[in-house]
Amino acid sequence: MDAVVLAGGGREPGLAEGLPNKAFLPIAGIPMVERVMRALRAAPEVGRIVLVGPAEIPEGAVDLCDLRIPETQDLLGNALAGLRALAPSPWVLLVASDLPLLTPQAVSEFLGRCREEGVEVYYPIVPREAVEASFPGLRKTYVRTVEGVFTGGGMVLVRPGILERLEPTIREVVEIRKNPARLASLFGPQYVVKYALGRLRIADVEERVRAIAGIRGKAVICHRPELAVDVDLNRPETLQRITQALGARPG
């Protein structure tokens, strides 16, 4: 299947001159977006790679993608632009550019679990204990369910046509994606109560997504912290720990 790497967005405070946005921030000497594309290129399941980003990008990243698309006004617009460039791919993997720890093994593990019939969207969720095992005390947004406590991964496997159809709903979810309480309220009082009482199940969320959006989504549990550990420039301690982890990697 093909992949779209989302490397758009404006400059953030603290970035060095010459960097168009945080996707191109070097960590242990290699820009984040380049690390992401290296992992995708080494995953045997991934075919073409489209990079959606600024008009001018540092050298290196260009060599790892098959096609470059100029960014639009926002995240969803960038995703749609990438999907249109890959039409008529039946499945496309949308990937954030701020996952510097991403490995081909993690990509393959996630994709290998996306096998259920009739599903249109797959989303990886990572147990808190998996993140804590590698990064104790790392600040992440977690959601508690009956099955465990999870944080979301930085990619999604989709059937391309659904994004066009669900654009208003997706925009709302993207806006509130890091606020568990607001996400719960989007689903209705019954689910808010379940969430508050610790009785919310993953299947409840999947069921409600189907009712709201008319699509079948599937949360895929993956014990791979590299799918979820991203870079937030407002949390310098996270960046420091990621840099240390990359420095300790063999090779």
Side-chain angles (χ1 to χ4, degrees):
M1 63 198 66
D2 299 325
V4 174
V5 178
L6 301 169
R11 281 181 52 82
E12 296 182 43
L15 280 180
E17 288 296 323
L19 297 179
N21 60 51
K22 76 170 182 177
F24 300 91
L25 176 69
I27 300 183
I30 300 173
M32 284 198 291
V33 67
E34 186 174 332
R35 289 185 177 277
V36 168
M37 288 196 290
R38 284 184 183 186
L40 293 172
R41 186 59 74 196
E45 299 85 355
V46 176
R48 294 177 295 170
I49 299 175
V50 170
L51 175 66
V52 183
E56 294 187 12
I57 63 174
E59 294 183 8
V62 179
D63 302 332
L64 292 165
C65 66
D66 298 287
L67 184 64
R68 286 175 53 202
I69 301 293
E71 64 181 312
T72 66
Q73 72 280 6
D74 59 23
L75 179 64
L76 181 56
N78 290 344
L80 289 170
L83 292 175
R84 290 174 187 135
L86 288 169
S89 294
W91 287 99
V92 174
L93 183 66
L94 298 173
V95 188
S97 57
D98 59 351
L99 299 171
L101 296 171
L102 190 64
T103 61
Q105 294 80 11
V107 175
S108 293
E109 181 175 318
F110 168 56
L111 294 177
R113 296 184 180 185
C114 300
R115 301 292 182 188
E116 194 166 325
E117 194 70 28
V119 175
E120 296 172 282
V121 181
Y122 291 96
Y123 180 58
I125 56 175
V126 181
R128 183 172 189 165
E129 59 266 26
V131 176
E132 288 286 328
S134 298
F135 298 94
L138 189 73
R139 293 171 61 193
K140 292 289 298 177
T141 301
Y142 290 99
V143 173
R144 183 177 299 278
T145 69
V146 170
E147 295 86 353
V149 181
F150 300 95
T151 188
M155 62 180 62
V156 60
L157 180 64
V158 300
R159 287 199 178 277
I162 70 165
L163 289 194
E164 299 270 10
R165 196 167 82 233
L166 300 175
E167 184 172 348
T169 303
I170 293 170
R171 288 193 182 280
E172 184 174 4
V173 172
V174 168
E175 182 183 345
I176 64 175
R177 68 190 183 279
K178 292 192 176 182
N179 188 322
R182 288 187 65 193
L183 275 173
S185 68
L186 177 66
F187 283 82
Q190 175 186 353
Y191 296 88
V192 173
V193 171
K194 281 189 173 185
Y195 177 73
L197 296 177
R199 296 177 182 172
L200 188 69
R201 299 175 302 137
I202 294 172
D204 291 329
V205 179
E206 294 170 347
E207 177 184 287
R208 188 58 177 161
V209 167
R210 192 169 188 173
I212 293 173
I215 63 168
R216 188 172 173 210
K218 183 72 177 176
V220 178
I221 299 175
C222 294
H223 289 75
R224 291 279 189 171
E226 58 264 45
L227 292 172
V229 176
D230 55 359
V231 170
D232 184 340
L233 295 182
N234 293 318
R235 297 177 179 176
E237 71 281 358
T238 299
L239 179 57
Q240 182 179 13
R241 294 177 71 177
I242 290 173
T243 303
Q244 291 170 347
L246 287 170
R249 274 188 181 177

mmCIF file of all heavy atoms in Angstrom, residues 109-138:
data_model
loop_
_atom_site.group_PDB
_atom_site.id
_atom_site.type_symbol
_atom_site.label_atom_id
_atom_site.label_comp_id
_atom_site.label_asym_id
_atom_site.label_seq_id
_atom_site.Cartn_x
_atom_site.Cartn_y
_atom_site.Cartn_z
ATOM 1 N N GLU A 109 4.161 -4.221 11.952
ATOM 2 C CA GLU A 109 3.307 -4.830 12.978
ATOM 3 C C GLU A 109 1.903 -4.233 12.924
ATOM 4 O O GLU A 109 0.906 -4.973 12.980
ATOM 5 C CB GLU A 109 3.906 -4.627 14.365
ATOM 6 C CG GLU A 109 3.067 -5.267 15.472
ATOM 7 C CD GLU A 109 3.721 -5.176 16.832
ATOM 8 O OE1 GLU A 109 4.953 -5.396 16.920
ATOM 9 O OE2 GLU A 109 3.003 -4.901 17.819
ATOM 10 N N PHE A 110 1.817 -2.927 12.807
ATOM 11 C CA PHE A 110 0.507 -2.299 12.715
ATOM 12 C C PHE A 110 -0.241 -2.774 11.479
ATOM 13 O O PHE A 110 -1.390 -3.223 11.561
ATOM 14 C CB PHE A 110 0.656 -0.777 12.705
ATOM 15 C CG PHE A 110 -0.604 -0.039 12.336
ATOM 16 C CD1 PHE A 110 -1.785 -0.233 13.055
ATOM 17 C CD2 PHE A 110 -0.618 0.845 11.262
ATOM 18 C CE1 PHE A 110 -2.952 0.439 12.713
ATOM 19 C CE2 PHE A 110 -1.785 1.521 10.919
ATOM 20 C CZ PHE A 110 -2.950 1.306 11.639
ATOM 21 N N LEU A 111 0.405 -2.703 10.327
ATOM 22 C CA LEU A 111 -0.264 -3.089 9.087
ATOM 23 C C LEU A 111 -0.654 -4.566 9.096
ATOM 24 O O LEU A 111 -1.692 -4.942 8.548
ATOM 25 C CB LEU A 111 0.631 -2.781 7.887
ATOM 26 C CG LEU A 111 0.908 -1.290 7.639
ATOM 27 C CD1 LEU A 111 1.859 -1.110 6.468
ATOM 28 C CD2 LEU A 111 -0.387 -0.525 7.389
ATOM 29 N N GLY A 112 0.173 -5.387 9.726
ATOM 30 C CA GLY A 112 -0.124 -6.813 9.789
ATOM 31 C C GLY A 112 -1.365 -7.133 10.597
ATOM 32 O O GLY A 112 -1.954 -8.218 10.439
ATOM 33 N N ARG A 113 -1.781 -6.219 11.444
ATOM 34 C CA ARG A 113 -2.968 -6.434 12.272
ATOM 35 C C ARG A 113 -4.221 -5.791 11.667
ATOM 36 O O ARG A 113 -5.296 -5.869 12.268
ATOM 37 C CB ARG A 113 -2.719 -5.894 13.677
ATOM 38 C CG ARG A 113 -1.610 -6.646 14.400
ATOM 39 C CD ARG A 113 -1.411 -6.186 15.820
ATOM 40 N NE ARG A 113 -0.335 -6.945 16.453
ATOM 41 C CZ ARG A 113 -0.002 -6.833 17.728
ATOM 42 N NH1 ARG A 113 -0.659 -5.993 18.513
ATOM 43 N NH2 ARG A 113 0.989 -7.548 18.223
ATOM 44 N N CYS A 114 -4.066 -5.169 10.509
ATOM 45 C CA CYS A 114 -5.210 -4.528 9.849
ATOM 46 C C CYS A 114 -5.800 -5.489 8.823
ATOM 47 O O CYS A 114 -5.633 -5.315 7.609
ATOM 48 C CB CYS A 114 -4.767 -3.228 9.176
ATOM 49 S SG CYS A 114 -4.077 -2.005 10.303
ATOM 50 N N ARG A 115 -6.466 -6.520 9.326
ATOM 51 C CA ARG A 115 -6.914 -7.597 8.444
ATOM 52 C C ARG A 115 -8.401 -7.892 8.536
ATOM 53 O O ARG A 115 -8.884 -8.809 7.881
ATOM 54 C CB ARG A 115 -6.144 -8.892 8.774
ATOM 55 C CG ARG A 115 -4.637 -8.799 8.632
ATOM 56 C CD ARG A 115 -4.208 -8.645 7.195
ATOM 57 N NE ARG A 115 -2.754 -8.607 7.056
ATOM 58 C CZ ARG A 115 -2.127 -8.333 5.918
ATOM 59 N NH1 ARG A 115 -2.839 -8.065 4.845
ATOM 60 N NH2 ARG A 115 -0.809 -8.312 5.856
ATOM 61 N N GLU A 116 -9.129 -7.130 9.342
ATOM 62 C CA GLU A 116 -10.525 -7.482 9.564
ATOM 63 C C GLU A 116 -11.398 -7.055 8.386
ATOM 64 O O GLU A 116 -11.263 -5.959 7.851
ATOM 65 C CB GLU A 116 -11.028 -6.832 10.858
ATOM 66 C CG GLU A 116 -12.342 -7.387 11.342
ATOM 67 C CD GLU A 116 -12.650 -6.971 12.770
ATOM 68 O OE1 GLU A 116 -11.700 -6.859 13.570
ATOM 69 O OE2 GLU A 116 -13.825 -6.742 13.060
ATOM 70 N N GLU A 117 -12.301 -7.928 7.994
ATOM 71 C CA GLU A 117 -13.169 -7.677 6.849
ATOM 72 C C GLU A 117 -14.140 -6.526 7.129
ATOM 73 O O GLU A 117 -14.708 -6.423 8.214
ATOM 74 C CB GLU A 117 -13.972 -8.945 6.534
ATOM 75 C CG GLU A 117 -14.672 -8.942 5.187
ATOM 76 C CD GLU A 117 -13.715 -9.041 4.011
ATOM 77 O OE1 GLU A 117 -12.624 -9.625 4.181
ATOM 78 O OE2 GLU A 117 -14.069 -8.535 2.937
ATOM 79 N N GLY A 118 -14.321 -5.658 6.133
ATOM 80 C CA GLY A 118 -15.325 -4.608 6.231
ATOM 81 C C GLY A 118 -14.895 -3.334 6.919
ATOM 82 O O GLY A 118 -15.663 -2.375 6.980
ATOM 83 N N VAL A 119 -13.699 -3.273 7.451
ATOM 84 C CA VAL A 119 -13.218 -2.076 8.141
ATOM 85 C C VAL A 119 -12.712 -1.061 7.114
ATOM 86 O O VAL A 119 -12.080 -1.419 6.124
ATOM 87 C CB VAL A 119 -12.107 -2.432 9.151
ATOM 88 C CG1 VAL A 119 -11.522 -1.176 9.796
ATOM 89 C CG2 VAL A 119 -12.653 -3.368 10.219
ATOM 90 N N GLU A 120 -12.984 0.230 7.375
ATOM 91 C CA GLU A 120 -12.566 1.291 6.456
ATOM 92 C C GLU A 120 -11.457 2.173 7.023
ATOM 93 O O GLU A 120 -10.784 2.883 6.277
ATOM 94 C CB GLU A 120 -13.777 2.161 6.094
ATOM 95 C CG GLU A 120 -14.847 1.413 5.327
ATOM 96 C CD GLU A 120 -16.108 2.232 5.165
ATOM 97 O OE1 GLU A 120 -16.877 2.323 6.151
ATOM 98 O OE2 GLU A 120 -16.323 2.791 4.071
ATOM 99 N N VAL A 121 -11.285 2.149 8.333
ATOM 100 C CA VAL A 121 -10.239 2.936 8.986
ATOM 101 C C VAL A 121 -9.627 2.115 10.106
ATOM 102 O O VAL A 121 -10.345 1.537 10.930
ATOM 103 C CB VAL A 121 -10.803 4.235 9.609
ATOM 104 C CG1 VAL A 121 -9.682 5.053 10.251
ATOM 105 C CG2 VAL A 121 -11.520 5.071 8.587
ATOM 106 N N TYR A 122 -8.304 2.057 10.134
ATOM 107 C CA TYR A 122 -7.583 1.412 11.240
ATOM 108 C C TYR A 122 -6.707 2.452 11.926
ATOM 109 O O TYR A 122 -6.038 3.249 11.259
ATOM 110 C CB TYR A 122 -6.680 0.293 10.721
ATOM 111 C CG TYR A 122 -7.384 -0.910 10.178
ATOM 112 C CD1 TYR A 122 -7.617 -1.049 8.805
ATOM 113 C CD2 TYR A 122 -7.796 -1.954 11.017
ATOM 114 C CE1 TYR A 122 -8.236 -2.178 8.288
ATOM 115 C CE2 TYR A 122 -8.408 -3.088 10.512
ATOM 116 C CZ TYR A 122 -8.631 -3.190 9.148
ATOM 117 O OH TYR A 122 -9.254 -4.303 8.643
ATOM 118 N N TYR A 123 -6.705 2.409 13.254
ATOM 119 C CA TYR A 123 -5.954 3.398 14.028
ATOM 120 C C TYR A 123 -5.196 2.677 15.138
ATOM 121 O O TYR A 123 -5.799 1.940 15.924
ATOM 122 C CB TYR A 123 -6.932 4.410 14.632
ATOM 123 C CG TYR A 123 -6.302 5.499 15.467
ATOM 124 C CD1 TYR A 123 -5.339 6.348 14.944
ATOM 125 C CD2 TYR A 123 -6.696 5.692 16.794
ATOM 126 C CE1 TYR A 123 -4.781 7.364 15.712
ATOM 127 C CE2 TYR A 123 -6.152 6.707 17.566
ATOM 128 C CZ TYR A 123 -5.198 7.543 17.019
ATOM 129 O OH TYR A 123 -4.649 8.537 17.778
ATOM 130 N N PRO A 124 -3.880 2.855 15.230
ATOM 131 C CA PRO A 124 -3.122 2.166 16.285
ATOM 132 C C PRO A 124 -3.279 2.866 17.631
ATOM 133 O O PRO A 124 -3.260 4.098 17.719
ATOM 134 C CB PRO A 124 -1.681 2.261 15.792
ATOM 135 C CG PRO A 124 -1.641 3.516 14.992
ATOM 136 C CD PRO A 124 -2.997 3.660 14.363
ATOM 137 N N ILE A 125 -3.455 2.082 18.681
ATOM 138 C CA ILE A 125 -3.443 2.611 20.046
ATOM 139 C C ILE A 125 -2.386 1.837 20.834
ATOM 140 O O ILE A 125 -2.238 0.622 20.667
ATOM 141 C CB ILE A 125 -4.829 2.528 20.721
ATOM 142 C CG1 ILE A 125 -5.377 1.092 20.734
ATOM 143 C CG2 ILE A 125 -5.805 3.460 20.031
ATOM 144 C CD1 ILE A 125 -6.683 0.940 21.507
ATOM 145 N N VAL A 126 -1.658 2.549 21.657
ATOM 146 C CA VAL A 126 -0.507 1.975 22.359
ATOM 147 C C VAL A 126 -0.776 1.988 23.858
ATOM 148 O O VAL A 126 -1.101 3.040 24.425
ATOM 149 C CB VAL A 126 0.780 2.769 22.044
ATOM 150 C CG1 VAL A 126 1.977 2.142 22.752
ATOM 151 C CG2 VAL A 126 1.005 2.827 20.531
ATOM 152 N N PRO A 127 -0.660 0.837 24.522
ATOM 153 C CA PRO A 127 -0.895 0.792 25.975
ATOM 154 C C PRO A 127 0.096 1.676 26.730
ATOM 155 O O PRO A 127 1.266 1.788 26.356
ATOM 156 C CB PRO A 127 -0.688 -0.685 26.326
ATOM 157 C CG PRO A 127 -0.871 -1.420 25.046
ATOM 158 C CD PRO A 127 -0.372 -0.499 23.974
ATOM 159 N N ARG A 128 -0.395 2.278 27.787
ATOM 160 C CA ARG A 128 0.463 3.142 28.604
ATOM 161 C C ARG A 128 1.681 2.390 29.121
ATOM 162 O O ARG A 128 2.789 2.935 29.157
ATOM 163 C CB ARG A 128 -0.345 3.694 29.784
ATOM 164 C CG ARG A 128 0.428 4.661 30.655
ATOM 165 C CD ARG A 128 -0.483 5.318 31.688
ATOM 166 N NE ARG A 128 0.195 6.393 32.378
ATOM 167 C CZ ARG A 128 -0.415 7.310 33.102
ATOM 168 N NH1 ARG A 128 -1.744 7.292 33.217
ATOM 169 N NH2 ARG A 128 0.261 8.263 33.703
ATOM 170 N N GLU A 129 1.491 1.126 29.503
ATOM 171 C CA GLU A 129 2.632 0.380 30.046
ATOM 172 C C GLU A 129 3.736 0.174 29.007
ATOM 173 O O GLU A 129 4.912 0.085 29.357
ATOM 174 C CB GLU A 129 2.182 -0.972 30.615
ATOM 175 C CG GLU A 129 1.501 -1.915 29.636
ATOM 176 C CD GLU A 129 -0.009 -1.809 29.656
ATOM 177 O OE1 GLU A 129 -0.536 -0.736 30.016
ATOM 178 O OE2 GLU A 129 -0.653 -2.822 29.313
ATOM 179 N N ALA A 130 3.357 0.119 27.719
ATOM 180 C CA ALA A 130 4.373 -0.019 26.680
ATOM 181 C C ALA A 130 5.199 1.249 26.555
ATOM 182 O O ALA A 130 6.420 1.205 26.376
ATOM 183 C CB ALA A 130 3.712 -0.355 25.348
ATOM 184 N N VAL A 131 4.529 2.411 26.659
ATOM 185 C CA VAL A 131 5.250 3.682 26.619
ATOM 186 C C VAL A 131 6.115 3.836 27.865
ATOM 187 O O VAL A 131 7.292 4.205 27.796
ATOM 188 C CB VAL A 131 4.277 4.861 26.491
ATOM 189 C CG1 VAL A 131 5.022 6.191 26.540
ATOM 190 C CG2 VAL A 131 3.453 4.760 25.204
ATOM 191 N N GLU A 132 5.535 3.514 29.030
ATOM 192 C CA GLU A 132 6.248 3.677 30.293
ATOM 193 C C GLU A 132 7.469 2.760 30.382
ATOM 194 O O GLU A 132 8.462 3.106 31.024
ATOM 195 C CB GLU A 132 5.303 3.387 31.461
ATOM 196 C CG GLU A 132 4.253 4.474 31.694
ATOM 197 C CD GLU A 132 4.847 5.720 32.329
ATOM 198 O OE1 GLU A 132 5.806 5.594 33.115
ATOM 199 O OE2 GLU A 132 4.348 6.829 32.029
ATOM 200 N N ALA A 133 7.392 1.597 29.752
ATOM 201 C CA ALA A 133 8.518 0.663 29.803
ATOM 202 C C ALA A 133 9.772 1.265 29.162
ATOM 203 O O ALA A 133 10.896 1.012 29.596
ATOM 204 C CB ALA A 133 8.151 -0.647 29.104
ATOM 205 N N SER A 134 9.571 2.068 28.116
ATOM 206 C CA SER A 134 10.702 2.697 27.430
ATOM 207 C C SER A 134 10.957 4.131 27.891
ATOM 208 O O SER A 134 12.105 4.587 27.906
ATOM 209 C CB SER A 134 10.453 2.695 25.911
ATOM 210 O OG SER A 134 10.357 1.391 25.407
ATOM 211 N N PHE A 135 9.881 4.817 28.285
ATOM 212 C CA PHE A 135 9.991 6.224 28.669
ATOM 213 C C PHE A 135 9.190 6.474 29.941
ATOM 214 O O PHE A 135 8.081 7.046 29.884
ATOM 215 C CB PHE A 135 9.491 7.125 27.535
ATOM 216 C CG PHE A 135 10.275 7.019 26.258
ATOM 217 C CD1 PHE A 135 9.870 6.149 25.254
ATOM 218 C CD2 PHE A 135 11.422 7.773 26.070
ATOM 219 C CE1 PHE A 135 10.589 6.038 24.078
ATOM 220 C CE2 PHE A 135 12.157 7.675 24.897
ATOM 221 C CZ PHE A 135 11.738 6.800 23.898
ATOM 222 N N PRO A 136 9.692 6.059 31.078
ATOM 223 C CA PRO A 136 8.944 6.252 32.334
ATOM 224 C C PRO A 136 8.614 7.719 32.579
ATOM 225 O O PRO A 136 9.484 8.590 32.456
ATOM 226 C CB PRO A 136 9.916 5.727 33.400
ATOM 227 C CG PRO A 136 10.857 4.826 32.660
ATOM 228 C CD PRO A 136 10.985 5.403 31.280
ATOM 229 N N GLY A 137 7.355 7.977 32.899
ATOM 230 C CA GLY A 137 6.940 9.331 33.234
ATOM 231 C C GLY A 137 6.751 10.263 32.055
ATOM 232 O O GLY A 137 6.477 11.455 32.256
ATOM 233 N N LEU A 138 6.854 9.758 30.834
ATOM 234 C CA LEU A 138 6.694 10.616 29.668
ATOM 235 C C LEU A 138 5.271 11.183 29.614
ATOM 236 O O LEU A 138 4.299 10.451 29.793
ATOM 237 C CB LEU A 138 6.967 9.818 28.386
ATOM 238 C CG LEU A 138 7.041 10.640 27.093
ATOM 239 C CD1 LEU A 138 8.336 11.444 27.049
ATOM 240 C CD2 LEU A 138 6.941 9.732 25.870
#
